[in-house]
Every structure is written in C-alpha cells, then in structure tokens.
C-alpha cells in the first residue's frame, strides 16, 4: 500500500507530480491511500516518498480532465485526491470517461467542480473588506471569510484586480492572502476572533 500525504490541501501541481509517479510505478488506485493534508498527521505515520518523474511521458488524458482536476483539488472532500487518481487511472484505457454522464466517478468530478465554482462566486460576492490598522501601524483593508472549500488561492487574484490600489489581507481558517500593492503572498490561516 502506497501512502501519499501531500503538503498542500489544494495544490494541483503537487497532486499531479504524485499522481504521475504513481502511474509510472503502476500503482492501482486500490493500492494507494491518499491522506487528507487537512487532517493533522499522526506522530508515527511515515508516508511514502514517491520518486520524481523526470521528463518521461507517463500517460495522456483529455485536457478537460486536467481543467476539472485543477478545480476539484480545491474541494473540501477528503477523498478528492483518490477520486482524481482513480479517474486518471481509468482514463488511461478509456479517454471518453470524462464526458460520460453514466460514469459515477465522472459525475462526482463534475459535481465537485461545480461546488467549487459556486464557492468562488459566493466568496467574490460575499467578502467584505473593512479599514484596518495593523499592530505595526500599517493601514489597509482586512477581511475574514470562511469558505466551504479551499478557494482562497484561486479567488485572491480577483481581489488584486478589484482592490489592487490598496494593501489588503484576507484571512480564512486554512490560509491567509496578503496584497502589498505589488506582490500577492500567502501564509497560514487563523480562526475568527470573537
């Protein structure tokens, strides 16, 4: 059994590297356990480090799958990485599965992608900035939001375009985004203060 624990809850590139290594190794989905990175790690657990895939072509999938997968990694479902890998595995033999309305995994993929899209729209419409002064005296805008999915990294560029003329911070329970007028950066999130 291969145990894979990604560092990020929503990094598509990180998932893709791990999935390519698993495909290269011939690891069937049933032989892979994807540990949700949002769950604190067990002191005694030692996830397997996968070998890096260097330039070697592993398999091909429809571009539509990659677009959907990039969105679905932002879903909060702890089984999202396993769903993606299982479908990736099956697409190696039948590339039409991603368009199948009868396939359970493809339907799950589309539903999760739509849920993330809904959450992106909700955050764009519902986030409210307030004037704030940091402990060091820096003035700017601040907002706190609790998204249903891991969407902050995908939605933050929208706020750069909309409110880029001011410095701001958006804090969520899992991640925070900072805009200083030039650079968008991210750090750990924080729970809402009473």
């Amino acid at each position: 059994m291969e145990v894979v624990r990604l560092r990020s809850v929503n990094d598509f590139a990180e998932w893709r590297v791990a999935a390519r290594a698993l495909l290269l190794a011939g690891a069937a989905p049933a032989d892979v356990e994807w540990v949700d990175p949002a769950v604190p790690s067990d002191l005694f657990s030692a996830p397997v480090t996968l070998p890096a895939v260097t330039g070697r072509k592993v398999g091909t999938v429809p571009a539509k799958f990659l677009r959907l997968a990039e969105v679905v990694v932002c879903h909060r479902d702890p089984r999202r990485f396993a769903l993606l890998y299982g479908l990736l595995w099956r697409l190696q033999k039948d590339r039409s599965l991603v368009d199948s309305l009868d396939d359970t995994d493809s339907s799950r993929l589309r539903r999760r992608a739509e849920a993330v899209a809904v959450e992106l729209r909700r955050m764009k419409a519902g986030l409210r900035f307030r004037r704030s002064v940091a402990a060091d005296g820096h003035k700017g805008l601040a907002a706190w939001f609790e998204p249903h999915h891991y969407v902050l990294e995908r939605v933050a560029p929208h706020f750069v375009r909309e409110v880029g003329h001011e410095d701001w911070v958006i804090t969520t329970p899992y991640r925070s985004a900072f805009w200083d007028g030039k650079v968008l950066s991210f750090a750990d999130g924080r729970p809402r203060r009473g």
Side-chain angles (χ1 to χ4, degrees):
M1 175 70 71
E2 298 279 352
V3 178
V4 182
R5 182 185 189 90
L6 302 176
R7 290 185 314 273
S8 174
V9 294
N10 62 352
D11 186 336
F12 175 70
E14 182 186 17
W15 173 82
R16 191 174 184 182
V17 167
R20 287 172 50 98
L22 290 166
L23 277 180
L24 187 61
D31 297 331
V32 179
E33 179 185 349
W34 293 87
V35 179
D36 185 2
V39 175
S41 62
D42 182 340
L43 179 63
F44 300 105
S45 65
V48 173
T49 302
L50 298 166
V53 178
T54 55
R56 185 172 157 201
K57 192 169 184 173
V58 177
T60 59
V61 292
K64 181 178 183 177
F65 170 76
L66 296 175
R67 286 191 305 273
L68 287 169
E70 193 169 1
V71 173
V72 171
V73 296
C74 298
H75 198 280
R76 198 171 283 272
D77 179 359
R79 297 173 309 276
R80 65 196 174 280
F81 300 120
L83 169 68
L84 290 169
Y85 184 67
L87 191 52
L88 174 68
W89 178 268
R90 293 176 56 222
L91 285 167
Q92 301 308 302
K93 290 191 172 141
D94 184 357
R95 292 173 49 96
S96 69
L97 281 175
V98 75
D99 292 316
S100 173
L101 299 176
D102 297 327
D103 185 74
T104 304
D105 290 339
S106 293
S107 294
R108 285 183 182 138
L109 183 77
R110 284 189 299 278
R111 282 195 310 271
R112 280 157 184 74
E114 181 54 33
V116 170
V118 166
E119 190 60 12
L120 287 167
R121 291 189 296 270
R122 184 178 85 91
M123 190 166 179
K124 286 177 184 178
L127 186 123
R128 298 290 177 257
F129 285 104
R130 296 200 177 7
R131 296 252 166 239
S132 181
V133 179
D136 65 359
H138 186 84
K139 295 178 183 178
L141 301 174
W144 191 91
F145 196 85
E146 188 165 2
H148 297 142
H149 301 293
Y150 304 116
V151 296
L152 179 61
E153 295 86 347
R154 290 185 72 85
V155 79
H158 164 79
F159 292 106
V160 168
R161 289 186 299 276
E162 295 295 314
V163 200
H165 59 281
E166 297 211 43
D167 292 1
W168 52 255
V169 60
I170 300 171
T171 303
T172 74
Y174 84 96
R175 201 94 162 117
S176 295
F178 301 91
W179 173 251
D180 66 2
K182 296 177 186 158
V183 176
L184 177 63
S185 59
F186 297 93
D188 291 338
R190 285 182 283 200
R192 185 173 203 157
R193 293 183 212 172

